[in-house]
mmCIF file with all atom_site columns, all heavy atoms in Angstrom:
data_model
loop_
_atom_site.group_PDB
_atom_site.id
_atom_site.type_symbol
_atom_site.label_atom_id
_atom_site.label_alt_id
_atom_site.label_comp_id
_atom_site.label_asym_id
_atom_site.label_entity_id
_atom_site.label_seq_id
_atom_site.pdbx_PDB_ins_code
_atom_site.Cartn_x
_atom_site.Cartn_y
_atom_site.Cartn_z
_atom_site.occupancy
_atom_site.B_iso_or_equiv
_atom_site.pdbx_formal_charge
_atom_site.auth_seq_id
_atom_site.auth_comp_id
_atom_site.auth_asym_id
_atom_site.auth_atom_id
_atom_site.pdbx_PDB_model_num
ATOM 1  N N   . GLU A 1 3  ? 14.288 53.545 21.605 1.00 95.00 ? 1266 GLU A N   1
ATOM 2  C CA  . GLU A 1 3  ? 13.012 53.104 21.042 1.00 95.00 ? 1266 GLU A CA  1
ATOM 3  C C   . GLU A 1 3  ? 11.844 53.852 21.675 1.00 95.00 ? 1266 GLU A C   1
ATOM 4  O O   . GLU A 1 3  ? 10.776 53.955 21.090 1.00 95.00 ? 1266 GLU A O   1
ATOM 5  C CB  . GLU A 1 3  ? 12.855 51.600 21.266 1.00 95.00 ? 1266 GLU A CB  1
ATOM 6  C CG  . GLU A 1 3  ? 11.712 50.992 20.531 1.00 95.00 ? 1266 GLU A CG  1
ATOM 7  C CD  . GLU A 1 3  ? 11.686 49.486 20.641 1.00 95.00 ? 1266 GLU A CD  1
ATOM 8  O OE1 . GLU A 1 3  ? 12.671 48.871 21.093 1.00 95.00 ? 1266 GLU A OE1 1
ATOM 9  O OE2 . GLU A 1 3  ? 10.658 48.906 20.275 1.00 95.00 ? 1266 GLU A OE2 1
ATOM 10 N N   . ARG A 1 65 ? 6.213  48.212 22.830 1.00 94.00 ? 1328 ARG A N   1
ATOM 11 C CA  . ARG A 1 65 ? 6.435  46.833 22.362 1.00 94.00 ? 1328 ARG A CA  1
ATOM 12 C C   . ARG A 1 65 ? 5.383  46.410 21.344 1.00 94.00 ? 1328 ARG A C   1
ATOM 13 O O   . ARG A 1 65 ? 5.678  45.666 20.411 1.00 94.00 ? 1328 ARG A O   1
ATOM 14 C CB  . ARG A 1 65 ? 6.429  45.868 23.537 1.00 94.00 ? 1328 ARG A CB  1
ATOM 15 C CG  . ARG A 1 65 ? 7.643  45.986 24.407 1.00 94.00 ? 1328 ARG A CG  1
ATOM 16 C CD  . ARG A 1 65 ? 7.628  44.945 25.539 1.00 94.00 ? 1328 ARG A CD  1
ATOM 17 N NE  . ARG A 1 65 ? 8.558  45.288 26.539 1.00 94.00 ? 1328 ARG A NE  1
ATOM 18 C CZ  . ARG A 1 65 ? 8.248  45.870 27.705 1.00 94.00 ? 1328 ARG A CZ  1
ATOM 19 N NH1 . ARG A 1 65 ? 6.993  46.137 28.015 1.00 94.00 ? 1328 ARG A NH1 1
ATOM 20 N NH2 . ARG A 1 65 ? 9.189  46.173 28.583 1.00 94.00 ? 1328 ARG A NH2 1
ATOM 21 N N   . SER A 1 66 ? 4.156  46.884 21.500 1.00 94.00 ? 1329 SER A N   1
ATOM 22 C CA  . SER A 1 66 ? 3.089  46.500 20.574 1.00 94.00 ? 1329 SER A CA  1
ATOM 23 C C   . SER A 1 66 ? 3.281  47.126 19.181 1.00 94.00 ? 1329 SER A C   1
ATOM 24 O O   . SER A 1 66 ? 2.681  46.667 18.215 1.00 94.00 ? 1329 SER A O   1
ATOM 25 C CB  . SER A 1 66 ? 1.715  46.905 21.137 1.00 94.00 ? 1329 SER A CB  1
ATOM 26 O OG  . SER A 1 66 ? 1.533  48.302 21.057 1.00 94.00 ? 1329 SER A OG  1
ATOM 27 N N   . LYS A 1 67 ? 4.125  48.161 19.085 1.00 89.00 ? 1330 LYS A N   1
ATOM 28 C CA  . LYS A 1 67 ? 4.381  48.807 17.801 1.00 89.00 ? 1330 LYS A CA  1
ATOM 29 C C   . LYS A 1 67 ? 5.546  48.192 17.042 1.00 89.00 ? 1330 LYS A C   1
ATOM 30 O O   . LYS A 1 67 ? 5.871  48.613 15.949 1.00 89.00 ? 1330 LYS A O   1
ATOM 31 C CB  . LYS A 1 67 ? 4.682  50.302 18.027 1.00 89.00 ? 1330 LYS A CB  1
ATOM 32 C CG  . LYS A 1 67 ? 3.515  51.072 18.558 1.00 89.00 ? 1330 LYS A CG  1
ATOM 33 C CD  . LYS A 1 67 ? 3.906  52.524 18.783 1.00 89.00 ? 1330 LYS A CD  1
ATOM 34 C CE  . LYS A 1 67 ? 2.779  53.331 19.383 1.00 89.00 ? 1330 LYS A CE  1
ATOM 35 N NZ  . LYS A 1 67 ? 3.201  54.734 19.594 1.00 89.00 ? 1330 LYS A NZ  1
ATOM 36 N N   . ARG A 1 68 ? 6.153  47.192 17.606 1.00 87.00 ? 1331 ARG A N   1
ATOM 37 C CA  . ARG A 1 68 ? 7.310  46.559 16.947 1.00 87.00 ? 1331 ARG A CA  1
ATOM 38 C C   . ARG A 1 68 ? 6.864  45.770 15.732 1.00 87.00 ? 1331 ARG A C   1
ATOM 39 O O   . ARG A 1 68 ? 5.856  45.220 15.623 1.00 87.00 ? 1331 ARG A O   1
ATOM 40 C CB  . ARG A 1 68 ? 8.038  45.619 17.904 1.00 87.00 ? 1331 ARG A CB  1
ATOM 41 C CG  . ARG A 1 68 ? 8.845  46.372 18.919 1.00 87.00 ? 1331 ARG A CG  1
ATOM 42 C CD  . ARG A 1 68 ? 9.601  45.430 19.789 1.00 87.00 ? 1331 ARG A CD  1
ATOM 43 N NE  . ARG A 1 68 ? 10.452 46.166 20.701 1.00 87.00 ? 1331 ARG A NE  1
ATOM 44 C CZ  . ARG A 1 68 ? 10.990 45.634 21.773 1.00 87.00 ? 1331 ARG A CZ  1
ATOM 45 N NH1 . ARG A 1 68 ? 10.768 44.380 22.084 1.00 87.00 ? 1331 ARG A NH1 1
ATOM 46 N NH2 . ARG A 1 68 ? 11.746 46.361 22.554 1.00 87.00 ? 1331 ARG A NH2 1
#
Side-chain angles (χ1 to χ4, degrees):
E1266 190 173 348
R1328 289 183 196 101
S1329 73
K1330 294 179 183 180
R1331 285 183 176 164

